[in-house]
Amino acid sequence: MEYKILSGRAFQRKEVKDKHKWVLQVRIRILGREVVTKNKTVHAMSKSEAQRKLFMWQEKLEDYDALAEVDTLAAFADKYLDHAAEVKDWSPRTLNSYKRINDLYIKPMLGKEKLTDITAEMISDFIFRLSTDEKNVKQRRGKSKVLNVRTVKSIYYLLSQIMKTAYQWERIPINPMDRIPTPKGRPRRPQVFSEDILRKILMALTKQNPEFQFQVLLDVTTGCRIGELMGLSWDDYNERNHTFLVHQTVQYTAEKGTYLYPRTKTENSKRYIYVIPQLRSILERKRKEYEALRKSAPESWNPYHLIFYTYDGKPVRPNTVSNNFSHFIKKNGIEHIRFHDLRGYFATMLMRCGYSLPDIIKKTGHSKASTLLDYYGHALRESEEKMNRSITESFNNLPSNLLEQ
């Protein structure tokens, strides 16, 4: 990218009370394109010090071409992911997810471009192609083979973070992502099944093995994410209150295999879940079974005291449970739902019972009310007729002369 610094100035904003806060402003002409303004806030004791910092900044800006020789988008994206994983303390699964997005979508289409050569037009075209191109890739694609809106937004988010960091690290004079709007469209809402389907599931469960039965029953009555369910430990069970503390999750990556991660998806996800009386006898049998195995097993067996474990005492991979559930649904001719939809049923059941959103969020571990409503609010439409009837009956005693026009 060829450009020329046209002018620069140091000034203070009138509304800012801090007399040592200065704004450095540089106008840059990108040859063949446009003039852009770049601002930077600095701390300076006087205007002369602010001017010196302005001159130093302009000198750095003039070094962009040298940096561009080594920083392609692919190279910088790898640097960003390594840096962000450390600074943001991502879980291995989160880092693996972002690396997958980078390797599958960003690198093949934009990776060879120099950071300073990437334009808003190029990014806009990239996002458009992601949203419209049909490819035979299984990852988050529907029958049309077009990427799911949620995946497109995830790619957009990662690319915007990469370019924002490149700008903050002064690898590029402007951030082309500033001019690219978030892709439109709403993600596909998860399916929330009816009580009739739940009855079919419960009837079919009677023919399954006790371990699978308990996994399904405990999940539909607590609303756990599958990784949270697999991460439940006897160490976190309160017999007096009949609750488990949810504070860790079982995850899987190709590099690490199945492992226990010592945190939940978000801080709000850390919570207590209640075991209903109907399941406590099953839980007690499981505990006795676990303690019997523990006596004859080596010390290294099931070191985290998980309630669900493999024969050799290791955590159960979440995909194993979800795949078993999908096979169970298909085998019994039940309308297709995922194991994760059990969590959705639990959330909507609480909504139908009239509990407040803040209380439901505490129970399900969602990050915020809008997330809960966006995902499961549509399931409440079947209750609208009942609500409308209640509203009508509440105002049956309106004075007749008030209604006469």
Side-chain angles (χ1 to χ4, degrees):
M1 177 189 296
E2 295 185 17
Y3 57 88
K4 181 180 180 181
I5 297 177
L6 300 178
S7 62
R9 67 181 183 127
F11 64 96
Q12 290 182 305
R13 300 189 189 278
K14 293 180 179 180
E15 66 274 13
V16 177
K17 295 181 180 180
D18 187 351
K19 64 180 181 179
H20 300 308
K21 185 176 289 186
W22 291 79
V23 177
L24 309 183
Q25 188 176 85
V26 175
R27 295 179 68 247
I28 302 171
R29 178 183 294 280
I30 302 175
L31 300 185
R33 299 187 201 164
E34 58 201 320
V35 175
V36 298
T37 300
K38 181 175 170 67
N39 292 334
K40 180 179 182 180
T41 301
V42 298
H43 184 273
M45 300 302 292
S46 63
K47 184 169 184 177
S48 60
E49 184 182 352
Q51 285 290 147
R52 285 196 300 273
K53 291 189 175 185
L54 173 64
F55 295 146
M56 291 171 64
W57 186 37
Q58 287 175 320
E59 287 178 357
K60 282 187 176 181
L61 291 175
E62 291 170 355
D63 290 335
Y64 275 127
D65 285 339
L67 289 168
E69 291 299 321
V70 295
D71 275 344
T72 61
L73 177 60
F76 187 80
D78 289 338
K79 294 177 185 177
Y80 164 77
L81 289 172
D82 290 340
H83 171 78
E86 182 177 350
V87 172
K88 299 182 180 182
D89 199 19
W90 285 342
S91 71
R93 184 171 177 235
T94 300
L95 176 59
N96 185 71
S97 175
Y98 282 131
K99 282 186 174 180
R100 179 177 174 83
I101 289 174
N102 187 37
D103 293 341
L104 277 179
Y105 306 110
I106 297 176
K107 280 186 176 180
M109 299 178 75
L110 293 173
K112 293 181 180 179
E113 301 291 341
K114 293 179 180 179
L115 278 176
T116 50
D117 287 342
I118 296 175
T119 65
E121 183 179 359
M122 292 166 62
I123 295 174
S124 181
D125 180 64
F126 168 62
I127 299 297
F128 177 78
R129 288 168 62 189
L130 287 174
S131 304
T132 57
D133 284 1
E134 294 189 1
K135 294 181 180 179
N136 190 25
V137 178
K138 186 177 180 180
Q139 177 76 2
R140 291 194 183 277
R141 293 180 186 267
K143 294 180 180 179
S144 65
K145 298 180 182 179
V146 174
L147 274 178
N148 184 291
V149 171
R150 188 174 183 179
T151 303
V152 175
K153 289 187 175 182
S154 295
I155 298 167
Y156 169 89
Y157 171 78
L158 177 57
L159 183 57
S160 67
Q161 291 302 303
I162 291 170
M163 299 306 293
K164 178 182 178 181
T165 304
Y167 176 76
Q168 290 173 339
W169 291 2
E170 300 186 347
R171 298 294 199 272
I172 51 177
I174 59 169
N175 182 4
M177 286 295 294
D178 288 343
R179 305 183 180 192
I180 308 299
T182 304
K184 295 181 179 180
R186 297 177 66 89
R188 181 179 62 87
R189 288 167 169 169
Q191 184 173 350
V192 179
F193 53 89
S194 64
E195 290 185 16
D196 181 56
I197 292 179
L198 179 62
R199 281 193 291 269
K200 291 179 181 178
I201 291 174
L202 297 179
M203 286 295 295
L205 266 183
T206 59
K207 303 174 184 177
Q208 304 302 305
N209 68 72
E211 183 80 349
F212 181 73
Q213 289 177 353
F214 190 54
Q215 289 169 352
V216 174
L217 291 172
L218 189 57
D219 198 73
V220 78
T221 57
T222 62
C224 279
R225 299 177 179 89
I226 190 169
E228 296 171 345
L229 191 72
M230 295 302 104
L232 295 178
S233 169
W234 292 114
D235 293 341
D236 301 316
Y237 182 59
N238 185 315
E239 290 189 66
R240 182 177 180 180
N241 297 329
H242 309 292
T243 58
F244 277 100
L245 172 63
V246 176
H247 67 101
Q248 57 191 11
T249 58
V250 172
Q251 300 184 0
Y252 171 86
T253 66
E255 294 81 8
K256 288 176 66 71
T258 304
Y259 62 96
L260 185 68
Y261 185 63
R263 288 200 294 278
T264 50
K265 183 177 180 181
T266 66
E267 190 61 30
N268 280 6
S269 300
K270 187 176 179 179
R271 65 197 186 281
Y272 288 95
I273 59 168
Y274 176 70
V275 180
I276 62 175
Q278 297 93 316
L279 300 186
R280 290 173 196 164
S281 60
I282 304 175
L283 186 66
E284 185 59 30
R285 287 198 300 270
K286 275 195 66 67
R287 184 160 197 167
K288 289 179 179 179
E289 176 188 290
Y290 159 77
E291 289 174 347
L293 288 170
R294 186 87 181 149
K295 289 179 181 178
S296 59
E299 288 187 15
S300 59
W301 183 84
N302 194 358
Y304 306 108
H305 310 150
L306 302 177
I307 71 170
F308 298 112
Y309 45 83
T310 63
Y311 71 94
D312 53 356
K314 294 181 179 178
V316 177
R317 181 179 174 180
N319 273 11
T320 300
V321 180
S322 58
N323 290 340
N324 289 343
F325 186 78
S326 296
H327 177 72
F328 159 75
I329 291 294
K330 185 175 181 180
K331 179 182 177 181
N332 288 279
I334 301 172
E335 182 181 342
H336 176 69
I337 59 172
R338 306 164 302 162
F339 190 88
H340 187 72
D341 295 327
L342 299 174
R343 171 172 163 81
Y345 180 87
F346 179 78
T348 53
M349 176 197 66
L350 294 178
M351 288 183 185
R352 292 189 185 104
C353 289
Y355 291 101
S356 68
L357 286 178
D359 286 341
I360 296 174
I361 286 172
K362 289 178 183 177
K363 204 72 175 172
T364 61
H366 283 90
S367 57
K368 49 190 177 181
S370 59
T371 303
L372 192 67
L373 287 174
D374 284 347
Y375 274 78
Y376 303 118
H378 64 288
L380 300 180
R381 288 174 183 167
E382 62 188 62
S383 303
E384 284 187 5
E385 185 177 336
K386 183 179 179 180
M387 286 190 289
N388 290 339
R389 191 163 55 247
S390 297
I391 294 170
T392 302
E393 292 172 357
S394 297
F395 292 97
N396 274 342
N397 296 324
L398 284 175
S400 57
N401 60 346
L402 182 64
L403 302 177
E404 294 173 358
Q405 295 289 330

